[in-house]
Amino acid sequence: MLDPDSELSPRYQSVTTTPDWYQTNIPCQVGCPAHTDVATYIGLISQARFDEAYLLNRKANIVPGVLGRTCARPCEPVCRRNKVDGKPISICWLKRASADHREYRHHAERPPVTKDKKVAVIGGGSAGLACARDLRELGYPVTMYEQYPVAGGVMINGIPVWRLPRDVTREECDEYMADLGVEVKYNTRVGRDVQLTDLLKEYDAVYIGAGCYIPNPMTGPDNKVVKGADLYGVEDGIRLLDKTNFGEPAFIGKRVAIIGAGFTAMDCCRTAIRFGAEKVYVMYRRSEEEQPADEYEVDEAKFEGVEFQYLVSQTEVLSKDGVHASGVRFVRNKLGDPDASGRRRPIPVPGTEFEIEVDSVIPCFGQYSDTTWLQAEELGLEVNKWGVPLIDVETWMTSHPGLFAGGDYTQGARNLISAVGDGRDAAGAINRYLGGQDLPAEPAEEIELPDYRRGMVDNYESIPHQLIPSLPLSERYSHTRETETGYSPQEAVVQARRCLQCQLNIMIDPSICILCSGCVDICPYDCISMEGLSRVVKGDPMHQGTNTWEGGADMIIDEEKCIRCGLCVVRCPTDAISMVQFEVSSPNSRWSVSKIPMLNV
């Protein structure tokens, strides 16, 4: 057979595959900062193996029950299922299902202390918990300093109880650390009760994971603090949530304006509804498409009666008596060129000012880190213009030997899962600094799955996406009752079956392929094609010598389109096609694709 494409220009580049290629071919795991083995735990849930799925999650991301309710879900926008029916796998909500429906609590076994060097962790939030857990498993004695009476950081002072019940945080933060043998000094604030310099003398390494809790001021279009920002009734969002979460007195009026449209703003507007507000506005300076909040959370807020107004900027908080807030003056915006964040800059439109009548104003403008306790001059720390320590991006260490930092404290306010990833990376760096060795990696393997025929026995491709069940609107007016009720075990199993299992790959044995094109014909998504040899720029050993061939072809598989149905495996008359499961574990298990057979179909 002559090459039918010999007169066409090259279209593909062939390279030798490496474990790195296989890893990047699992987009959800790439998108997760903790590199959670998503495909495997979803596969376990599809078989109702909730306990195994929970433990696999906890190994990677420390607090599965918390993240299953609150994660920012960076894995879901990149999920390949989006290309099938426009909806991702419910990765976050299925994580919660693994926690909700496990049979046992799974208290962690306490690792023995095998190292003679001690580590202190400042802050019991996501980064601190992750760093402390990994260091304990490496054999280090770890002491954590936490200013609150409980661990969890923003999980307990920034996320409302109606989203995250405190029995979940208690089990996965406080009890988990106790099981592991982490000594936690609660109600102990570094800089007040103990000094950083003293910790550096007492411990061989210190990790700062103190979070990011100081609210940015409420500024107007001129970047100056607006008039009236100090009136009674104006309360920064992160501080309001801290009060309501710990049962402290907090004022939420009948008419409330939330300034901003991020995660904190969504929690504040829905909390205001639960505290009896009759009218709640969310006012945002850019367009709806550019708001940072998750679309699902925005939809839920609207369902609960929150009114959103876009392209508006606050210019003044109004008062009738000079003491209490009585309203806010705004100006309408148009969008200009992109600013440093990559989003289009809001530009005020003169003559479009208007006012709304409110008695509570809750600015949610983000947070920055408290650096007043660092003793930077005494320690000779290199800091940025905000006083935050500069760190080596490879070692997570500051300019002071033995002092490490990470999480939102150095990276700015982000989300829980990013801080978890930072803390785990820092633990590995601290271990190496103290003379320890990384836990060895396991070599990548390709395991063939015999008789793979999922597409013939499972209707997974046609299963619709289901939103997580929640309380009806009439039952949501409680600050302590969880709004989302979660998938039932049966619903979780069905939703998990939607997963395409991207750790699986089609392999074609060229030595027995007869180029019959049967696989091309049967593929439901046209992801297999036959291309003439001239269409491929040869960059791997398999193609050596093919330049002299008079005919031949390359079989091309588009991994982005493949749904792993296995119909091509069944159709191939020479058994040249097989389904292969990729398995690997990096040093310290920071990136693992488990050696657990997920599908036997």
Side-chain angles (χ1 to χ4, degrees):
M1 181 183 69
L2 296 177
D3 182 353
D5 300 328
S6 58
E7 297 182 1
L8 300 176
S9 59
R11 183 180 180 185
Y12 302 98
Q13 169 75 49
S14 72
V15 296
T16 302
T17 57
T18 66
D20 287 342
W21 180 85
Y22 284 111
Q23 290 177 196
T24 57
N25 199 39
I26 309 174
C28 54
Q29 196 164 6
V30 175
C32 175
H35 302 313
T36 304
D37 185 2
V38 175
T40 302
Y41 90 70
I42 298 293
L44 286 166
I45 293 173
S46 75
Q47 301 173 22
R49 295 159 68 180
F50 296 106
D51 288 71
E52 293 170 81
Y54 179 81
L55 291 173
L56 191 65
N57 261 292
R58 191 170 73 178
K59 179 180 178 182
N61 54 52
I62 319 299
V63 286
V66 171
L67 290 169
R69 292 164 165 83
T70 62
C71 189
R73 301 181 283 186
C75 52
E76 293 187 14
V78 297
C79 174
R80 240 180 226 127
R81 180 74 196 211
N82 284 302
K83 299 180 180 180
V84 176
D85 56 12
K87 293 291 184 180
I89 305 303
S90 299
I91 297 171
C92 174
W93 296 333
L94 288 170
K95 192 193 313 290
R96 170 183 172 165
S98 75
D100 286 356
H101 304 308
R102 62 200 150 114
E103 187 175 359
Y104 301 105
R105 286 286 297 272
H106 298 293
H107 284 282
E109 183 177 344
R110 180 169 299 190
V113 175
T114 59
K115 305 290 198 303
D116 58 1
K117 295 182 177 179
K118 302 186 300 180
V119 181
V121 173
I122 301 173
S126 305
L129 292 169
C131 183
R133 195 283 302 270
D134 279 15
L135 287 170
R136 275 301 295 121
E137 291 191 338
L138 290 167
Y140 291 95
V142 178
T143 303
M144 178 181 292
Y145 291 83
E146 170 55 54
Q147 67 171 327
Y148 284 93
V150 289
V154 76
M155 304 177 211
I156 49 96
N157 62 41
I159 297 177
V161 179
W162 52 265
R163 281 187 64 199
L164 179 57
R166 292 316 184 241
D167 60 333
V168 177
T169 56
R170 187 180 307 111
E171 177 191 352
E172 296 192 333
C173 301
D174 301 286
E175 295 178 7
Y176 189 32
M177 291 297 106
D179 288 346
L180 292 167
V182 176
E183 180 186 3
V184 183
K185 294 184 179 292
Y186 294 110
N187 299 306
T188 304
R189 181 169 181 168
V190 177
R192 181 191 65 191
D193 304 305
V194 62
Q195 300 303 314
L196 178 59
T197 49
D198 294 332
L199 296 182
L200 287 166
K201 294 174 184 176
E202 183 179 353
Y203 296 92
D204 298 284
V206 176
Y207 177 70
I208 302 174
C212 193
Y213 297 116
I214 309 298
N216 290 318
M218 179 169 56
T219 55
D222 58 0
N223 290 324
K224 296 180 181 179
V225 176
V226 301
K227 181 181 178 182
D230 56 351
L231 290 168
Y232 182 82
V234 179
E235 180 84 86
D236 292 295
I238 193 69
R239 288 178 174 157
L240 176 72
L241 292 173
D242 186 283
K243 290 180 179 179
T244 56
N245 287 340
F246 282 102
E248 298 177 4
F251 173 73
I252 298 178
K254 293 299 182 183
R255 297 178 62 84
V256 180
I258 311 293
I259 315 297
F263 295 117
T264 300
M266 295 304 101
D267 285 343
C268 286
C269 70
R270 298 178 68 191
T271 294
I273 292 288
R274 284 157 178 78
F275 273 80
E278 297 172 355
K279 181 65 179 179
V280 179
Y281 300 92
V282 169
M283 314 294 284
Y284 182 53
R285 60 182 181 153
R286 290 187 169 95
S287 67
E288 182 174 7
E289 292 73 22
E290 294 169 297
Q291 62 188 352
D294 181 82
E295 180 182 358
Y296 167 76
E297 289 195 54
V298 173
D299 290 343
E300 288 294 288
K302 291 179 178 178
F303 177 68
E304 292 173 5
V306 177
E307 178 181 330
F308 285 71
Q309 293 196 26
Y310 298 100
L311 292 171
V312 295
S313 288
Q314 62 287 345
T315 60
E316 182 181 354
V317 180
L318 307 174
S319 176
K320 295 178 181 179
D321 60 8
V323 177
H324 301 86
S326 62
V328 185
R329 180 174 294 125
F330 292 91
V331 63
R332 300 197 184 277
N333 299 324
K334 63 180 180 180
L335 293 179
D337 296 329
D339 59 16
S341 71
R343 295 174 296 175
R344 295 175 66 187
R345 178 183 290 105
I347 300 174
V349 179
T352 61
E353 292 80 3
F354 68 99
E355 299 174 1
I356 62 172
E357 182 179 340
V358 294
D359 49 6
S360 283
V361 182
I362 305 174
C364 302
F365 276 32
Q367 298 89 241
Y368 62 94
S369 301
D370 181 7
T371 62
T372 58
W373 54 273
L374 271 181
Q375 301 172 281
E377 282 192 28
E378 185 175 344
L379 294 172
L381 282 178
E382 295 180 14
V383 299
N384 62 19
K385 63 181 180 180
W386 296 284
V388 176
L390 299 176
I391 59 171
D392 185 305
V393 295
E394 297 295 329
T395 66
W396 295 90
M397 190 159 68
T398 68
S399 59
H400 189 285
L403 179 60
F404 299 79
D408 287 1
Y409 190 76
T410 59
Q411 310 305 110
R414 297 167 300 163
N415 52 66
L416 300 180
I417 192 65
S418 294
V420 167
D422 289 355
R424 296 203 62 199
D425 287 336
I430 292 169
N431 176 48
R432 292 187 288 272
Y433 169 78
L434 296 176
Q437 300 294 318
D438 286 335
L439 298 177
E442 297 180 13
E445 296 184 37
E446 299 173 358
I447 308 298
E448 182 177 343
L449 303 181
D451 300 321
Y452 184 93
R453 53 185 70 233
R454 186 185 184 191
M456 299 181 68
V457 299
D458 188 0
N459 66 339
Y460 68 101
E461 181 191 0
S462 61
I463 297 173
H465 177 268
Q466 178 187 343
L467 289 175
I468 190 168
S470 300
L471 294 174
L473 183 60
S474 61
E475 297 180 22
R476 293 191 182 193
Y477 299 99
S478 168
H479 181 57
T480 57
R481 186 178 181 187
E482 187 173 11
T483 298
E484 293 173 351
T485 55
Y487 291 133
S488 68
Q490 296 77 16
E491 290 169 331
V493 167
V494 171
Q495 287 302 297
R497 282 174 46 215
R498 296 181 66 244
C499 180
L500 304 181
Q501 295 290 301
C502 292
Q503 84 279 21
L504 305 181
N505 295 277
I506 295 291
M507 295 295 174
I508 301 178
D509 184 346
S511 66
I512 54 176
C513 175
I514 59 174
L515 300 177
C516 67
S517 197
C519 56
V520 177
D521 295 337
I522 202 170
C523 179
Y525 280 85
D526 298 325
C527 68
I528 305 178
S529 62
M530 185 184 297
E531 303 280 353
L533 290 174
S534 60
R535 298 286 272 166
V536 179
V537 178
K538 284 70 174 174
D540 66 292
M542 189 177 294
H543 281 89
Q544 288 183 0
T546 58
N547 292 329
T548 60
W549 291 7
E550 292 186 1
D554 273 298
M555 301 304 298
I556 307 296
I557 303 173
D558 187 341
E559 291 286 349
E560 291 300 305
K561 294 181 179 180
C562 180
I563 64 168
R564 280 75 177 166
C565 65
L567 295 180
C568 56
V569 178
V570 178
R571 173 66 178 82
C572 182
T574 63
D575 293 330
I577 304 178
S578 59
M579 186 70 74
V580 171
Q581 178 166 312
F582 169 67
E583 302 170 348
V584 71
S585 182
S586 67
N588 297 328
S589 296
R590 274 294 282 121
W591 187 308
S592 297
V593 181
S594 300
K595 299 179 185 298
I596 304 173
M598 282 299 94
L599 298 166
N600 189 25
V601 293

